[in-house]
Amino acid sequence: MSDKMPQTSPFPAMYGSNVYNKNLYKAKEEDYEGLYYHENNLVSGSLEALIEHLVPTVAYYPDRTYIFTFLLSSRLFIHPYELMSKVCHLCVDQQRLTDPQADKVQGKIAPKILQLLTEWTETFPYDFRDERMMKSLKELTHRLSTGDEAVQQMTQTLIRKLTTLSQYEEALAKINSSVTDRLTVLKTKPQSIQRDILTICSDPFTLAQQLTHIELERLSYIGPEEFIQAFVQKDPLDNDKRCFSDHKKASNLEAYVEWFNRLSYLVATEICMPVKKKHRARVIEFFIDVARECFNIGNFNSLMAIITGMNMSPVSRLKKTWGKVKTAKFDILEHQMDPSSNFYNYRTALRGATQRSITAHSSREKIVIPFFSLLIKDIYFLNEGCANRLPNGHVNLEKFWELAKQVMEFMTWKKVECPFDRDRKILQYLLTAPVFSEDALYLASYESEGPENNMEKDRWKSLRCV
């Protein structure tokens, strides 16, 4: 393998829009061993050439942004364990690791191969939950007669990450079973276990901090590959008839979306549950203050979940209750998260928070928790709006630079350590307090403020019968 051309910019810009411009493809490009460059930026290539471009040589080490971009996007075309197998073969064959006469070459190349493996295990550790990946990793590191300590350190770090992930998944399962148990008790003895949020925490700032704890913890376990694997489809040029059924599912991403839904329903439950109008109004004002503190922290996901809960029909129809609420602060927050013009106001606020994070001097200022459903939607439409391959069958790397850029920004946000003290009692309540179903919310809402029209009356009768 000859020396390779590096990319000149970390993430080359897409040309004008998210849609690949076919005219530019016909414009002057340089073909370099199966790789196509435009203005010195790598824009496409055959899958085999791109895999080769990933593997170091004595005189070459791939750009880190290329490593991330290719490892992220390659799973749309090839299983990670198959990619690892090809990388191992290239390393062994081309760098002559098995040749005892190649000590000088090996001395130069082995640390580079180890560096590539370290970047892979650190950035995409979940790939190595696959036993085939671990087997290939062990075989290749065994051949590297250099830096036994470095190999050991890489392996230990990987195992530690995978162990922590398993513990997190077990903890989530326990929380989910606890919620189910409490919900069963709630249905039979409504007042026996149900406290309200104000008895647990009456300070909006403290509650916003605890919400941020949950958000950052759940963000930290989402692997970058989950954004891609959520949209994986069978590659038409893949001759293997099996589907990508053994891809790790995007379970941590799904758990995070479920948390958003839970928080929305928790807010609605807390508002609809109190019998007295005055108490309901107090809960609404409390959540408005919590939402404002979330905005100030940079926790846009909790902010949007709270607004979503307050805008649910069973809550929004409580006109007498809302009549007792000072809504000026809520109107400002709704304006910030207004979906019109593709969430222009929110995106402006997100850019401001991101800029603050870049220049931050404290962990508190580094926090950026995006409105996650919109982030997924952006990535989904970017994925759908551009072809994975060009007409000549080459991988459209230009698309994947842009995709990787968005995921890399998320990677920066998820690494922030939460600077606030944990309050176990509040966290426990937020994660396990039973929440009403949509029907239960409507029933509670109608019992607080009676039905106003025939449609509501019919629904109320139907719910009471059930």
Side-chain angles (χ1 to χ4, degrees), residues 77-92:
F77 309 99
I78 183 173
H79 293 270
Y81 78 86
E82 290 173 326
L83 176 61
M84 173 61 96
S85 179
K86 285 178 180 288
V87 167
C88 289
H89 283 305
L90 283 169
C91 289
V92 171

Side-chain angles (χ1 to χ4, degrees), residues 42-320:
L42 179 56
V43 294
S44 73
S46 68
L47 185 60
E48 292 302 319
L50 292 170
I51 293 172
E52 203 169 295
H53 195 59
L54 182 68
V55 178
T57 67
V58 173
Y60 162 81
Y61 188 79
D63 188 277
R64 289 195 72 188
T65 51
Y66 175 75
I67 294 172
F68 179 78
T69 301
F70 186 68
L71 290 180
L72 178 71
S73 58
S74 61
R75 62 199 70 239
L76 288 168
F77 309 99
I78 183 173
H79 293 270
Y81 78 86
E82 290 173 326
L83 176 61
M84 173 61 96
S85 179
K86 285 178 180 288
V87 167
C88 289
H89 283 305
L90 283 169
C91 289
V92 171
D93 294 345
Q94 299 188 32
Q95 313 313 332
R96 296 176 294 151
L97 288 176
T98 52
D99 184 354
Q101 304 301 317
D103 287 345
K104 287 184 181 178
V105 174
Q106 186 166 319
K108 291 178 182 177
I109 191 61
K112 289 184 175 180
I113 293 171
L114 181 60
Q115 186 182 341
L116 176 67
L117 295 175
T118 301
E119 290 201 41
W120 195 337
T121 57
E122 284 181 353
T123 316
F124 298 93
Y126 301 170
D127 284 350
F128 294 86
R129 297 183 97 177
D130 188 326
E131 289 178 8
R132 296 166 294 190
M133 290 287 289
M134 287 299 278
K135 186 182 176 188
S136 293
L137 181 67
K138 285 174 184 173
E139 285 174 0
L140 186 53
T141 52
H142 183 68
R143 292 179 180 275
L144 299 174
S145 59
T146 179
D148 288 340
E149 192 178 322
V151 170
Q152 196 175 4
Q153 186 179 350
M154 176 189 72
T155 308
Q156 285 174 350
T157 302
L158 174 60
I159 290 169
R160 194 161 53 243
K161 282 187 177 182
L162 295 180
T163 303
T164 306
L165 173 65
S166 295
Q167 290 168 346
Y168 167 71
E169 289 174 342
E170 285 170 18
L172 273 189
K174 280 183 185 175
I175 287 170
N176 291 337
S177 64
S178 171
V179 168
T180 306
D181 293 343
R182 286 173 180 235
L183 195 54
T184 306
V185 176
L186 177 67
K187 286 174 180 173
T188 54
K189 300 175 184 175
Q191 300 307 319
S192 63
I193 61 163
Q194 186 70 20
R195 295 164 292 174
D196 71 0
I197 191 71
L198 292 174
T199 63
I200 302 296
C201 176
S202 58
D203 176 32
F205 188 51
T206 302
L207 192 71
Q209 290 179 338
Q210 299 312 303
L211 288 170
T212 303
H213 261 295
I214 295 170
E215 298 279 356
L216 285 173
E217 181 184 45
R218 298 206 169 195
L219 272 186
S220 71
Y221 285 101
I222 298 172
E225 73 283 352
E226 293 193 48
F227 290 100
I228 300 294
Q229 289 174 182
F231 312 129
V232 159
Q233 293 177 341
K234 185 82 166 57
D235 181 27
L237 295 187
D238 183 358
N239 295 321
D240 188 351
K241 300 298 180 193
R242 293 167 298 146
C243 289
F244 280 13
S245 57
D246 59 345
H247 264 289
K248 181 177 104 39
K249 291 180 181 176
S251 56
N252 298 305
L253 186 148
E254 288 162 9
Y256 190 51
V257 172
E258 284 167 14
W259 154 248
F260 178 95
N261 294 334
R262 170 179 169 75
L263 180 54
S264 297
Y265 272 88
L266 179 65
V267 169
T269 300
E270 294 289 340
I271 295 169
C272 290
M273 200 169 47
V275 176
K276 293 181 179 177
K277 180 169 53 182
K278 186 179 175 183
H279 191 175
R280 290 196 298 275
R282 202 161 87 238
V283 174
I284 288 175
E285 289 186 335
F286 174 71
F287 274 118
I288 291 171
D289 288 337
V290 173
R292 188 174 62 167
E293 294 299 347
C294 286
F295 179 84
N296 293 337
I297 288 171
N299 180 357
F300 298 106
N301 202 55
S302 288
L303 164 64
M304 195 60 173
I306 293 169
I307 290 175
T308 301
M310 295 171 86
N311 280 326
M312 283 185 185
S313 295
V315 177
S316 62
R317 66 168 298 278
L318 298 171
K319 293 184 175 61
K320 292 174 186 174

Side-chain angles (χ1 to χ4, degrees), residues 3-18:
D3 300 343
K4 301 159 187 176
M5 292 178 64
Q7 291 75 246
T8 52
S9 65
F11 285 106
M14 295 284 279
Y15 298 123
S17 75
N18 285 345

